[in-house]
């Protein structure tokens, strides 16, 4: 009997080897089909990001009339857990269990946090919208429940992503670790694109009840996909369990100090923070800007996330090809920040006469720049990490990125509301608060270019035979 599932898996794997960036990391011991199955955890992370940063942030600001500053604070609540990504990665490096498992227990805990947040979220939105029997419920209950749901989903995303990436690096050889992490991020972007398109189609005729159904479905799909991703990925190893019990790993402070002493790593983390802040402030405002300044519908603005993610995916593909040869991460980081500047200029011009076409072009360029910058800094971090501190290094990269993005998201909403308040009732330019934030982002990226330029010049004087580690130190 013909096995259609086996045929489909092999066909997907064969196509991936040819077209999917980083797919050459697959081996006979770790086939591409297994890596793609593991990457399903990134799909659930992408679903959560699209739901929170894309759909819900637009709905709460425009349809539910929640102040943008309050929504921005809710979206930034996961920032509370962002610095702990370093600790989570380290704990998964040294975790002791009877079966010798290190990563899987943490991924499961993160999955439960994601599900719990999505389970609370529909009831919070019921209260905020006054839908059905919730019309008489106090508004503060809806706001506090929404904040709790955002916090849980964000915490789950941090845990699942940090430990999932560490598990992916465990499966391959050391030289292939940057590639496999890159592959995971490509799958994250594909998950974001698919989720944005699906959410946009389901919410074409928006109602509070339809949104609640979509959120409930996302909760179930998250658990299902993460369970499939974890299945038989980490082998049980009793010898490792016994060794971990007798070993005395260094304290977290000692381990982090050792990582920080690696040449170039702290400078790299500073660059990550600055660039991510520049790209991240727009996350909370792009869709409300499209709805209020350009009159786009909920479905149309939700699909913007797909366009942004497509640009980021292309950026990752370009970076993959360049860095697989003699490409230097500093050069790509500089290129990404430089592309983001005209992207934000195009977004600003959209409300000044450029129209939807300028808005779409700017969104794509910002996504492209973010992809180049993100992959360049990710590769540099992997190349700079000590051999036994992959989880810790990935956690530090994720903590720097998530913290900068969270601060950017929170400041974006707060600055937008402050300018709206300063305009007063006579203010008739709805695009002004948004455009000011976009100008701040462009200025932040310009500052990143200024700081990166001497690093690029330093990298150029190195010989063509420079090792990957030396190239990372150049950044």
């Amino acid at each position: 009997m013909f096995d259609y599932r086996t045929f489909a898996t092999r066909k997907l794997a064969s196509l991936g080897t040819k077209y999917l960036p980083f797919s050459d990391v697959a081996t006979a011991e770790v086939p591409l089909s297994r890596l793609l199955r593991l990457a399903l955890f990134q799909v659930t992370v992408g679903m959560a990001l699209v739901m929170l940063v894309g759909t819900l942030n637009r709905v709460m600001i425009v349809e539910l009339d929640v102040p943008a500053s309050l929504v921005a604070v809710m979206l930034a609540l996961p920032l509370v857990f962002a610095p702990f990504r370093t600790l989570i990665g380290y704990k998964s490096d040294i975790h002791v269990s009877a079966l010798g498992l290190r990563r899987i227990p943490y991924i499961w805990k993160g999955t439960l946090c994601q599900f719990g947040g999505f389970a609370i979220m529909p009831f919070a939105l019921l209260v905020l919208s006054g839908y059905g029997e919730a019309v008489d419920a106090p508004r503060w209950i809806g706001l506090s429940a929404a904040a709790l749901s955002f916090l849980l989903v964000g915490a789950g995303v941090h845990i699942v992503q940090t430990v999932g990436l560490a598990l992916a690096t465990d499966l391959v050889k050391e030289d292939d670790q940057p590639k496999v992490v890159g592959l995971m991020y490509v799958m994250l972007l594909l998950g974001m694109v698919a989720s944005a398109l699906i959410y946009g189609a389901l919410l074409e005729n928006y109602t509070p009840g339809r949104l609640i159904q979509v959120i409930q479905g996302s909760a179930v799909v998250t658990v299902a996909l993460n369970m499939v991703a974890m299945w038989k990925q980490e082998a049980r190893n009793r010898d490792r369990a016994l060794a971990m019990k007798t070993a005395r790993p260094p304290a977290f402070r000692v381990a982090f100090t050792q990582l920080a002493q690696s040449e170039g790593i702290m400078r790299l983390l500073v660059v990550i923070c600055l660039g991510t802040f520049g790209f991240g402030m727009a996350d909370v405002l792009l869709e409300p800007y499209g709805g209020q300044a350009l009159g786009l519908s909920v479905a149309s603005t939700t699909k913007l996330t797909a366009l942004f993610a497509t640009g980021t995916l292309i950026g990752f593909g370009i970076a993959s090809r360049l860095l697989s040869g003699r490409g230097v991460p500093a050069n790509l980081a500089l290129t990404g920040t430089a592309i983001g500047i005209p992207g934000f200029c195009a977004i600003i011009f959209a409300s000044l006469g450029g129209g939807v076409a300028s808005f779409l072009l700017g969104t794509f360029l910002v996504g492209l720049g973010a992809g180049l910058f993100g992959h360049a800094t990710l590769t540099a971090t992997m190349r700079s990490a000590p051999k036994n501190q992959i989880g810790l290094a990935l956690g530090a990269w994720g903590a720097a990125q998530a913290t900068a993005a969270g601060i950017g998201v929170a400041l974006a909403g707060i600055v937008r509301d402050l300018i709206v308040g300063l305009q007063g009732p006579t203010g008739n330019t709805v695009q002004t608060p948004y455009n000011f934030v976009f100008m701040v982002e462009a200025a932040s990226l310009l500052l990143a270019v200024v700081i990166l330029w001497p690093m690029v010049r330093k990298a150029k004087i190195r010989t063509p035979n420079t090792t990957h580690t030396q190239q990372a130190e150049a950044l």
Side-chain angles (χ1 to χ4, degrees):
M1 182 176 178
F2 183 73
D3 190 342
Y4 290 96
R5 289 177 297 179
T6 302
F7 174 78
T9 302
R10 291 177 178 175
K11 191 66 175 178
L12 178 61
S14 64
L15 290 175
T17 305
K18 185 176 181 181
Y19 298 108
L20 192 62
F22 306 103
S23 59
D24 57 340
V25 71
T27 62
E29 295 77 15
V30 187
L32 185 59
S33 58
R34 181 180 176 184
L35 293 176
L36 292 177
R37 181 165 60 83
L38 175 61
L40 290 177
F41 81 86
Q42 285 285 63
V43 175
T44 65
V45 170
M47 288 171 52
L49 294 177
V50 171
M51 177 60 70
L52 298 185
V53 180
T55 304
L56 289 182
N57 120 72
R58 147 70 196 245
V59 168
M60 294 178 73
I61 292 176
V62 179
E63 274 70 28
L64 302 182
D65 197 28
V66 178
S69 58
L70 188 56
V71 175
V73 171
M74 289 184 185
L75 291 176
L77 280 175
L79 173 65
V80 175
F81 284 90
F84 292 99
R85 289 182 69 143
T86 308
L87 179 61
I88 291 168
Y90 173 70
K91 288 294 185 181
S92 70
D93 283 338
I94 63 172
H95 181 69
V96 178
S97 69
L99 299 178
L101 300 176
R102 296 189 302 164
R103 316 294 189 186
I104 293 298
Y106 283 91
I107 298 178
W108 178 241
K109 292 175 184 177
T111 300
L112 293 180
C113 288
Q114 287 178 283
F115 180 83
F118 280 130
I120 297 172
M121 198 174 293
F123 302 101
L125 294 178
L126 276 173
V127 175
L128 288 177
S129 63
Y131 185 74
E133 297 179 359
V135 65
D136 296 325
R139 190 171 177 83
W140 68 267
I141 294 179
L143 292 174
S144 58
L148 177 60
S149 66
F150 277 54
L151 183 63
L152 285 174
V153 173
V157 165
H158 286 312
I159 297 172
V160 168
Q161 189 175 60
T162 300
V163 183
L165 291 175
L167 174 58
T169 62
D170 292 341
L171 300 178
V172 299
K173 298 178 181 179
E174 182 180 352
D175 292 341
D176 292 331
Q177 287 175 349
K179 293 182 181 180
V180 76
V181 175
L183 174 62
M184 295 297 117
Y185 265 86
V186 169
M187 294 305 296
L188 168 67
L189 297 172
L190 291 176
M192 292 180 65
V193 172
S195 299
L197 294 176
I198 293 173
Y199 288 155
L202 293 175
L203 296 173
E204 188 71 41
N205 298 317
Y206 168 78
T207 63
R210 175 61 65 85
L211 178 61
I212 290 169
Q213 291 175 339
V214 172
I215 296 173
Q216 291 174 331
S218 299
V220 176
V221 171
T222 294
V223 174
L225 292 182
N226 281 355
M227 289 185 67
V228 173
M230 290 185 289
W231 183 255
K232 292 185 177 181
Q233 294 287 2
E234 188 175 26
R236 292 180 294 180
N237 191 329
R238 294 184 182 274
D239 294 335
R240 181 171 61 189
L242 294 174
M244 294 299 293
K245 286 182 179 180
T246 57
R248 292 185 177 180
F252 171 73
R253 180 180 298 178
V254 175
F256 185 78
T257 301
Q258 292 175 351
L259 177 66
Q261 289 174 349
S262 300
E263 186 175 356
I265 191 68
M266 296 306 297
R267 179 171 54 187
L268 174 61
L269 293 178
V270 171
V271 170
I272 291 170
C273 289
L274 184 61
T276 304
F277 178 83
F279 285 110
M281 289 184 73
D283 286 346
V284 72
L285 296 182
L286 274 180
E287 297 202 21
Y289 174 76
Q292 292 186 331
L294 302 177
L296 300 177
S297 65
V298 174
S300 298
T301 55
T302 299
K303 293 174 183 176
L304 283 173
T305 306
L307 178 63
F308 183 93
T310 300
T312 307
L313 178 60
I314 294 174
F316 260 80
I318 295 173
S320 170
R321 182 173 295 274
L322 294 178
L323 290 176
S324 63
R326 296 178 179 176
V328 180
N331 294 343
L332 284 182
L334 177 65
T335 302
T337 53
I339 290 176
I341 296 173
F344 283 115
C345 292
I347 291 174
I348 295 172
F349 181 65
S351 61
L352 303 178
V356 176
S358 179
F359 182 45
L360 296 179
L361 175 62
T363 301
F364 175 79
L365 288 177
V366 172
L368 177 63
L372 291 171
F373 178 84
H375 178 43
T377 55
L378 172 63
T379 301
T381 302
M382 292 294 299
R383 292 177 178 176
S384 301
K387 296 180 180 180
N388 60 342
Q389 293 183 333
I390 294 298
L392 178 63
L394 285 173
W397 177 82
Q401 189 183 53
T403 301
I407 293 175
V409 166
L411 287 180
I414 293 172
V415 170
R416 181 262 186 194
D417 281 358
L418 284 176
I419 296 177
V420 169
L422 291 175
Q423 285 187 160
T426 58
N428 56 3
T429 53
V430 67
Q431 71 272 14
T432 300
Y434 295 103
N435 287 342
F436 181 83
V437 174
F438 297 146
M439 286 189 290
V440 170
E441 292 186 90
S444 178
L445 294 181
L446 181 60
L447 178 61
V449 169
V450 173
I451 295 175
L452 279 168
W453 180 249
M455 302 179 188
V456 173
R457 293 187 62 185
K458 181 179 179 181
K460 285 182 178 180
I461 66 175
R462 297 183 180 272
T463 63
N465 293 325
T466 301
T467 65
H468 287 170
T469 302
Q470 291 173 325
Q471 290 178 358
E473 293 171 358
L475 186 58

